[in-house]
Amino acid sequence: MCDVAPGAQTFEAAPETYDRHVGRYTPALARSHVRVLDLGRRSHVLEVGCGPGALTEALAGSVGGGRVSAVEPSEAFAEACRARVPDADVRVGTAEDLPDFGREFDAATSQLVLNFMSDGDAGVASMTGAVGDGGM
């Protein structure tokens, strides 16, 4: 069993197992996701439910790793994301109870995550609250 943030629903699998199954679709989906977001190079972006880091990696390719923060309830997945995108600020936590990053973000996003939130309304509200005026 993987260590997870309290109240989180998550995959109980190794990051490598996730990447072989669900994760095989995420790189292409992540590239499309980032294209739709159309983030500027100066954007600071929050990703919620980063898993092993496919979207985090694509976001870092768009805005730079130091401008990406990510949250993941599974410690094993968060560690895999940190290894994949060393410049990103990756923390263990949930959408419903986001860690304090000490900043507002220009955008908050997630991919394949809403169905794993224990309270989707609270998770989306928390993500919205992390975004500053004029953000998305």
Side-chain angles (χ1 to χ4, degrees):
M1 181 180 286
C2 300
D3 290 334
V4 298
Q9 294 182 26
T10 187
F11 290 99
E12 291 190 15
E16 300 79 23
T17 302
Y18 176 88
D19 274 341
R20 276 195 312 275
H21 297 284
V22 175
R24 65 186 167 184
Y25 303 106
T26 55
L29 185 56
R31 287 189 299 274
S32 295
H33 191 127
V34 170
R35 221 176 7 260
V36 168
L37 287 174
D38 192 28
L39 300 165
R41 286 292 298 167
R42 294 190 172 274
S43 294
H44 285 88
V45 62
L46 172 64
E47 180 191 1
V48 175
C50 64
L55 179 56
T56 313
E57 184 175 42
L59 290 165
S62 178
V63 300
R67 293 182 173 278
V68 177
S69 298
V71 174
E72 167 59 40
S74 162
E75 177 60 50
F77 280 26
E79 185 57 39
C81 184
R82 288 182 198 109
R84 195 174 198 168
V85 189
D87 292 340
D89 183 358
V90 181
R91 302 186 190 183
V92 173
T94 65
E96 299 87 346
D97 189 23
L98 289 172
D100 182 5
F101 287 94
R103 66 166 309 106
E104 289 184 331
F105 294 94
D106 300 304
T109 192
S110 65
Q111 178 172 285
L112 305 174
V113 171
L114 189 59
N115 55 315
F116 291 102
M117 291 181 189
S118 57
D119 183 341
D121 290 335
V124 171
S126 184
M127 291 171 66
T128 302
V131 176
D133 291 340
M136 63 176 136

